[in-house]
Amino acid sequence: MIDSEVQKTRTPQFSINEVLVNRWSSRSFAKYDIKDKELFSLFESARWAPSASNSQPWRFVYAKNGSSEWNGFFDLLIDFNKQWCKDASALVVVLSKKEHNGKPSMTHQFDTGAAWENLAIQAVSQGLVTHAMAGFDSAKARETLQVPQDYDVMIMIAIGKKGQKEKLPQDLQARESPNTRVPLSDIVMHGKFGNKAPIS
Ligand SMILES: Cc1cc2nc3c(=O)[nH]c(=O)nc-3n(C[C@H](O)[C@H](O)[C@H](O)COP(=O)(O)O)c2cc1C
């Protein structure tokens, strides 16, 4: 079932699995001590993503809130992101291996993106929320986490339990609802670029 809160702003044009609509990047987190088992199920879901030649270029480095590594991860974020994700249960830095079998991979970022989406969808089914962030210092992340040069530092993810939006700063409260999408007919073409598909 599509969540009642989600239904207010999101209506799929065609029938799809509800979990896809119910995933949204909320910013309010309730303090929640996430169990290793919950976290590892998320990474497990990412493991089953498809990738070119089954190269599996995705890597995940995490820190739980309250751990000795947490501050090092949190300090990577830009101030905008720091203000809302301080109560997240875990922060993850997503890496992507640039080479496969000694050759540059043309698709590793695409593959790693698929793994991130698996994780985000799995989180919904576990009653957790995820929020991807490009707003962080990737060079500092490479240094802090000692990431080898043959990996790209892609994104960070905040993971946790959804909290009350009233705890967010005023401007973020106003933005704390599921957003929508451009129409399907804007993104699907039939036969050649620019030919609209017969979507009413
Ligand atoms: C690669 C990527 C980077 C993002 N970076 C940020 C960010 O730094 N801060 C933030 O608040 N949201 C960030 N977002 C969240 C997007 O704004 C959000 O996914 C988008 O508006 C679609 O909304 P939805 O995820 O709720 O469906 C990012 C999302 C992605 C996929």
Side-chain angles (χ1 to χ4, degrees):
M1 237 181 73
I2 299 180
D3 293 342
S4 52
E5 188 191 4
V6 172
Q7 272 180 33
K8 289 181 199 160
T9 47
R10 291 186 162 181
T11 311
Q13 287 178 249
F14 290 86
S15 176
I16 57 170
N17 191 317
E18 291 91 354
V19 71
L20 298 163
V21 191
N22 285 333
R23 183 217 57 80
W24 66 281
S25 305
S26 54
R27 292 194 174 87
S28 50
F29 284 101
K31 286 195 171 134
Y32 177 67
D33 195 5
I34 195 165
K35 293 166 199 68
D36 280 349
K37 231 176 147 180
E38 293 175 280
L39 210 45
F40 296 158
S41 282
L42 299 182
F43 297 131
E44 177 69 16
S45 73
R47 188 162 80 99
W48 291 100
S51 59
S53 307
N54 202 17
S55 52
Q56 304 162 65
W58 42 78
R59 301 290 184 274
F60 305 94
V61 189
Y62 74 93
K64 285 194 194 184
N65 202 336
S67 69
S68 56
E69 298 89 4
W70 172 263
N71 285 345
F73 278 57
F74 189 74
D75 285 345
L76 300 172
L77 298 170
I78 58 169
D79 288 345
F80 173 79
N81 288 331
K82 276 183 181 161
Q83 63 178 326
W84 58 263
C85 75
K86 60 180 173 26
D87 289 332
S89 304
L91 286 171
V92 180
V93 175
V94 180
L95 312 173
S96 188
K97 194 161 195 278
K98 295 192 277 187
E99 293 183 349
H100 180 57
N101 288 342
K103 292 190 198 123
S105 166
M106 299 300 285
T107 59
H108 71 95
Q109 296 192 346
F110 182 85
D111 299 334
T112 298
W116 135 249
E117 177 67 357
N118 266 21
L119 186 157
I121 293 297
Q122 175 66 25
V124 178
S125 67
Q126 290 181 213
L128 296 166
V129 295
T130 57
H131 197 130
M133 295 173 285
F136 71 101
D137 187 334
S138 60
K140 195 168 158 192
R142 182 179 294 283
E143 198 186 311
T144 307
L145 278 60
Q146 298 175 19
V147 178
Q149 286 303 324
D150 50 337
Y151 290 82
D152 276 341
V153 177
M154 300 304 305
I155 58 160
M156 288 183 73
I157 311 170
I159 298 173
K161 282 270 188 209
K162 194 169 175 330
Q164 293 171 306
K165 83 170 180 187
E166 290 70 24
K167 287 194 178 154
L168 287 170
Q170 286 282 322
D171 54 330
L172 290 184
Q173 283 186 35
R175 293 166 64 175
E176 189 70 347
S177 66
N179 55 18
T180 185
R181 293 295 185 267
V182 297
L184 191 63
S185 57
D186 282 13
I187 60 167
V188 182
M189 290 160 253
H190 176 224
K192 69 171 183 178
F193 196 92
N195 264 7
K196 293 222 175 237
I199 299 166
S200 52

